[in-house]
Amino acid sequence: MRTIALYTMLFCNAAVMTAARPCYSPDQALSHANKDVCVSAHVYDIVQLADGTRFLDICKPEMTDEQCHFTVVSKKSDRKDVGDLEQYRQQDIQIRGIVHAYGDQGEIILSHARQFHGGAEKFVPNPALLHGFSAENSRTAFNDPALKGGHHHSVFKTAQ
């Protein structure tokens, strides 16, 4: 009896967690700037620039570029992790990511295929924090004066 109650409780919790994360339309997603959200859209076309950047065109064909306020961008450097995007042409998708807003324009960066299945974007370390870091020489990733020797004297010196 306890096993049935436990499974029922787990199922209900999973249903509540799923319901707690709604998917927004691209227009609604703009009001969730800088938040990790799910966006539901139809992919009308896949556009690739000369530099290898790809876009999921989620705006209706009759809309002009000025009327289209949301896009999904995939950088060339993420191509291996994202995979073939042609499979999403003329498909309804749900994609998870952080909404980046630029005035009345918004975008989600597609950096990994798992975003189509509720997974997070690929972690990208901040290069400014990594400057000078090397695991080989045990240097820290940041300049902390407290870690440098010779500049500070301990207040807990032993009496001699």
Side-chain angles (χ1 to χ4, degrees), residues 130-149:
L130 293 177
H131 179 71
F133 173 74
S134 172
E136 293 172 354
N137 66 11
S138 300
R139 290 186 61 195
T140 60
F142 52 90
N143 184 14
D144 186 353
L147 296 176
K148 292 183 180 179

Side-chain angles (χ1 to χ4, degrees), residues 46-49 51-57 71-85 95 107-113 115-116 122:
I46 310 295
V47 179
Q48 181 169 322
L49 301 181
D51 68 357
T53 303
R54 299 179 292 174
F55 296 88
L56 298 181
D57 184 359
T71 190
V72 178
V73 182
S74 180
K75 299 175 185 176
K76 181 181 179 182
S77 60
D78 295 325
R79 184 176 292 263
K80 185 180 96 181
D81 294 320
V82 171
D84 181 28
L85 292 178
I95 184 168
E107 72 179 17
I108 283 183
I109 297 176
L110 173 60
S111 59
H112 201 282
Q115 290 174 255
F116 288 111
K122 182 170 66 175

Side-chain angles (χ1 to χ4, degrees), residues 22-41 58 69-72 93-109:
C23 258
Y24 299 103
S25 71
D27 291 333
Q28 293 170 326
L30 275 172
S31 65
H32 298 279
N34 301 317
K35 294 182 181 168
D36 187 3
V37 299
C38 174
V39 176
S40 182
I58 58 174
H69 297 285
F70 201 86
T71 190
V72 178
I93 63 163
Q94 291 185 344
I95 184 168
R96 176 182 165 197
I98 297 173
V99 175
H100 302 276
Y102 310 99
D104 65 344
Q105 301 290 320
E107 72 179 17
I108 283 183
I109 297 176

